[in-house]
Amino acid sequence: QVEGSKNSLKEYLSEFIGAELKQLGFKINIYENPEPEAGPIMLANRHEDENKPTILIYAHGDTVIGQDELWDKDLSPWKLTKDGERLYGRGTADNKGQHWINISGLKTVLKNRGKLGFNCKILIESDEEMGSRGLRMFCKDKRNILNSDLLIASDGPRLNPDSATVVLGSRGLVNFELSVNLREGYHHSGNWGGLIKDPGIILAHAVSIITDNRGQILIPEWRPSSLSNEIKYLLSKLSVSGGSKAPNIDVDWGEANLSPEERVFGWNSFSILALEQGNPKQPQNAISPSARAICQLRYVVGTDPEKIIPALRRHLDKEGFNNVNIKATRMSGMMATRSDPNNKWVKLALKSINESLGHPASLLPNIGGSIPNDIFAELLGLSTIWIPHSYT
């Protein structure tokens, strides 16, 4: 997310992660990203036995920007701070801390047994926070090298901080910009108010017809058809909990006839990420020439991603908002995925975790967020299991 970071990302892969994996018997290759602006990709391989299964581990080494001013007092993104059982620092949860836990697990098994008992490949990219640019092209090109039996990866949040979570996929993601561009320059609101259209008012009304006043989606094609009885049953055994530091769930928000768990794991949600018109810090007595909103749809399996933007176009045109422009923005290509909960690998993972921890893991059909799981599930044809270690 910061221009000029490619050398730092490459250094992380080669001098830190790569160096550690070499000591564990992995062969390391670091590749330039097929997308020129995106960060490098590392592929590590430890081969033990042709007759053993091969596990692919995915992770990303990039993080969001530091945002120092948003951290609590006495905490910094640039300094690792321990507070009880929590560690605070940039990347501790997403994603460096998560893949480091998995590498530490491999290290522990090798120390105790001398071998893993399976073949292992580790793919670490450095562009996930920008939408994993180039990853699909890389995996398509390296399909033979990446050939595996199963993906086990760790990214995203646990359902509850007190128990393990097994995730079968993710919601898809489409980011798009709505804009109204009417003229050049600003015009005095006294002399021109009531005479010329205000782009902010037009945009506000356009955005308001995407959902009702409690956030229920009003575009028919955006309402999924995949909330089956099986998924409802899985979700009925779960309870969304963010722990002591999470915000309270608004019971009067979102789809009225769904539980909180069904809303975030079995349904689609629309969000406005940013609004822009004029300068709120120094507002002028003038009608702006333009206004824009950066918006997002998180969608589950059962929503056709190819129909999302066209459906929005039809919906706005039907209501008379032909002068509202729509264009996809960054991170617009992550697809919704969901593995079969009856898959043999899913059952094995649940059995293993339950035996190790002494209590059952939460099984999620997909996380509420978005990860590039479709690359592994669809492009590479793998069974995919995500076991996140992060906060809610």
Side-chain angles (χ1 to χ4, degrees):
Q1 291 186 332
V2 177
E3 216 170 301
S5 302
K6 286 172 72 172
N7 286 338
S8 297
L9 294 166
K10 190 169 186 177
E11 186 179 278
Y12 173 72
L13 294 179
S14 60
E15 297 185 23
F16 182 63
I17 293 293
E20 289 286 339
L21 290 175
K22 281 180 182 177
Q23 293 183 24
L24 302 183
F26 283 83
K27 294 180 180 179
I28 309 297
N29 285 294
I30 296 177
Y31 302 88
E32 291 296 319
N33 197 303
E35 189 72 36
E37 295 181 3
I41 299 172
M42 186 194 80
L43 186 56
N45 188 7
R46 178 187 164 93
H47 189 82
E48 289 189 356
D49 189 335
E50 196 68 42
N51 298 314
K52 297 290 185 181
T54 299
I55 308 300
L56 175 64
I57 294 174
Y58 159 83
H60 63 93
D62 60 316
T63 65
V64 296
I65 57 176
Q67 303 179 83
D68 308 53
E69 70 283 358
L70 298 181
W71 287 61
D72 287 349
K73 187 181 177 183
D74 301 326
L75 293 176
S76 166
W78 317 113
K79 179 184 177 184
L80 189 67
T81 304
K82 185 177 181 183
D83 180 10
E85 293 187 345
R86 293 174 178 261
L87 292 173
Y88 292 91
R90 183 169 177 258
T92 52
D94 185 16
N95 176 274
K96 291 182 173 68
Q98 298 214 45
H99 61 251
W100 186 245
I101 286 172
N102 291 339
I103 292 169
S104 299
L106 297 175
K107 191 174 184 178
T108 303
V109 172
L110 286 170
K111 181 180 178 182
N112 282 274
R113 299 180 182 173
K115 61 181 181 179
L116 295 176
F118 56 89
N119 307 307
C120 186
K121 298 175 183 178
I122 300 178
L123 172 67
I124 301 182
E125 62 153 320
S126 54
D127 199 73
E128 196 269 351
E129 300 294 353
M130 292 295 287
S132 297
R133 295 172 298 179
L135 182 63
R136 183 180 304 277
M137 197 184 310
F138 176 84
C139 290
K140 187 176 181 179
D141 183 54
K142 307 293 183 187
R143 190 194 301 252
N144 291 337
I145 301 176
L146 290 167
N147 183 41
S148 304
D149 295 283
L150 170 70
L151 174 87
I152 298 181
S154 298
D155 197 359
R158 283 171 289 165
L159 179 72
N160 187 309
D162 297 323
S163 64
T165 300
V166 173
V167 181
L168 304 181
S170 77
R171 287 203 288 187
L173 170 70
V174 170
N175 279 11
F176 56 91
E177 176 185 299
L178 299 179
S179 63
V180 180
N181 306 296
L182 299 182
R183 62 186 71 87
E184 294 291 328
Y186 290 77
H187 295 272
H188 192 277
S189 58
N191 297 334
W192 292 96
L195 298 179
I196 61 175
K197 294 177 179 179
D198 188 317
I201 293 175
I202 294 171
L203 183 62
H205 280 275
V207 170
S208 74
I209 66 166
I210 294 175
T211 73
D212 65 10
N213 62 358
R214 61 171 288 155
Q216 296 182 111
I217 291 171
L218 298 177
I219 302 174
E221 294 91 337
W222 287 17
R223 298 175 63 81
S225 59
S226 57
L227 188 51
S228 64
N229 289 333
E230 182 180 37
I231 299 300
K232 279 178 170 285
Y233 175 71
L234 278 180
L235 296 177
S236 70
K237 298 191 289 184
L238 307 176
S239 178
V240 176
S241 170
S244 59
K245 297 195 175 185
N248 294 324
I249 293 171
D250 293 314
V251 295
D252 59 348
W253 185 255
E255 198 68 22
N257 62 343
L258 300 183
S259 69
E261 294 74 28
E262 288 169 345
R263 290 176 205 163
V264 72
F265 302 123
W267 203 251
N268 297 347
S269 64
F270 170 73
S271 302
I272 301 169
L273 306 184
L275 289 168
E276 183 179 75
Q277 182 188 14
N279 183 353
K281 293 182 178 179
Q282 292 182 314
Q284 305 296 316
N285 290 318
I287 298 172
S288 301
S290 61
R292 67 178 184 139
I294 307 301
C295 305
Q296 182 182 84
L297 183 72
R298 300 270 183 177
Y299 67 94
V300 295
V301 168
T303 305
D304 187 340
E306 299 296 324
K307 295 181 179 179
I308 289 172
I309 297 297
L312 175 60
R313 178 75 275 163
R314 288 192 301 272
H315 186 70
L316 292 177
D317 290 349
K318 181 183 175 183
E319 299 295 329
F321 292 105
N322 312 74
N323 55 355
V324 175
N325 305 306
I326 309 170
K327 73 172 182 179
T329 60
R330 72 174 185 88
M331 292 175 61
S332 61
M334 290 194 183
M335 312 288 281
T337 54
R338 185 183 288 161
S339 293
D340 183 350
N342 299 309
N343 180 291
K344 67 173 183 179
W345 292 109
V346 174
K347 290 183 176 180
L348 182 60
L350 288 170
K351 182 173 181 287
S352 174
I353 290 172
N354 294 350
E355 289 178 358
S356 298
L357 300 182
H359 54 83
S362 301
L363 179 62
L364 282 182
N366 49 258
I367 59 169
S370 301
I371 45 181
N373 189 51
D374 66 294
I375 293 175
F376 308 107
E378 305 294 338
L379 179 64
L380 299 181
L382 303 179
S383 295
T384 59
I385 297 174
W386 295 77
I387 306 172
H389 305 302
S390 183
Y391 56 84
T392 329

